[in-house]
Amino acid sequence: FILASLAISPFSRVNPANANANTNAIEVCRPKARNCINTIWTAPSSMTHKSEVVDAIRDVLNSYPQKGQAGVDCNGWKVVSDGLDIDIDDSISSIMALEFKSCVGPAALAINLAQPFIDDLKLELIYVGMGIDENEDKDNVDTASASSSWMVKVKSSSRMGSSDLFVNKKRLEYLG
């Protein structure tokens, strides 16, 4: 992701207004939500194999510190489900879900029984065929053709509250 100086990923980010394009596997944030972010990351054109994109996603996520960063996610994170290697029906998308646990600050002490808040990060890997040859085997798209690409639809959201104090934004900027 070519975003901030902290960006550690090879992906680039697409306009968030287009974040609900192509599939509905990941829910769109509700309008004017201040505790949810949707965006799309696009894989570099040099990544033509699905396995390359999956490895890059996992490498980026595994580089995220378990003790958090920039005052967020101090109580760690975990992978809840990893279906990035699985193709789902004709949409040829795959989903990964993670949980991040907040630091225990005044808000958590006051309204969450001194427990960390939990945020969800969902990633959907999507094969975007742009001029698919009718002879191309859509069930075996580990290798994308030169006119095709991979994108990752992203949703980072807080489970509780109406504001997240920019935690989701900090997390996504760090990841790229």
Side-chain angles (χ1 to χ4, degrees):
F1 314 97
I2 307 164
L3 281 186
S5 59
L6 292 177
I8 53 175
S9 146
F11 296 86
S12 60
R13 189 164 72 172
V14 175
N15 182 348
N18 299 326
N20 60 358
N22 297 320
T23 68
N24 293 320
I26 292 186
E27 315 81 29
V28 176
C29 298
R30 70 188 189 322
K32 299 183 183 179
R34 294 180 304 167
N35 64 347
C36 183
I37 296 175
N38 286 112
T39 192
I40 295 175
W41 295 329
T42 57
S45 59
S46 62
M47 290 186 178
T48 58
H49 293 79
K50 180 178 180 181
S51 58
E52 293 175 299
V53 179
V54 169
D55 289 347
I57 291 169
R58 289 183 179 140
D59 288 348
V60 168
L61 292 170
N62 286 328
S63 70
Y64 193 85
Q66 273 296 330
K67 291 296 179 185
Q69 51 80 32
V72 301
D73 304 325
C74 300
N75 282 293
W77 60 274
K78 68 178 181 178
V79 175
V80 176
S81 64
D82 184 351
L84 291 180
D85 294 319
I86 300 170
D87 291 334
I88 301 173
D89 55 60
D90 290 337
S91 66
I92 312 182
S93 67
S94 307
I95 296 175
M96 180 180 217
L98 300 94
E99 285 182 353
F100 291 80
K101 292 185 179 181
S102 74
C103 306
V104 179
L109 290 169
I111 61 173
N112 206 32
L113 303 173
Q115 296 298 309
F117 292 108
I118 298 176
D119 291 349
D120 296 300
L121 177 66
K122 292 182 182 176
L123 307 170
E124 180 183 13
L125 178 59
I126 303 166
Y127 172 73
V128 183
M130 301 172 350
I132 296 175
D133 182 334
E134 63 184 45
N135 297 321
E136 185 174 357
D137 182 2
K138 286 176 31 178
D139 294 327
N140 185 12
V141 293
D142 185 55
T143 304
S145 67
S147 62
S148 303
S149 63
W150 295 95
M151 70 179 199
V152 183
K153 192 171 172 186
V154 180
K155 179 181 181 185
S156 186
S157 62
S158 302
R159 289 187 186 175
M160 203 174 160
S162 61
S163 178
D164 68 356
L165 304 175
F166 302 104
V167 169
N168 289 296
K169 180 180 178 187
K170 289 178 185 177
R171 180 180 307 119
L172 292 182
E173 283 179 348
Y174 184 94
L175 292 172

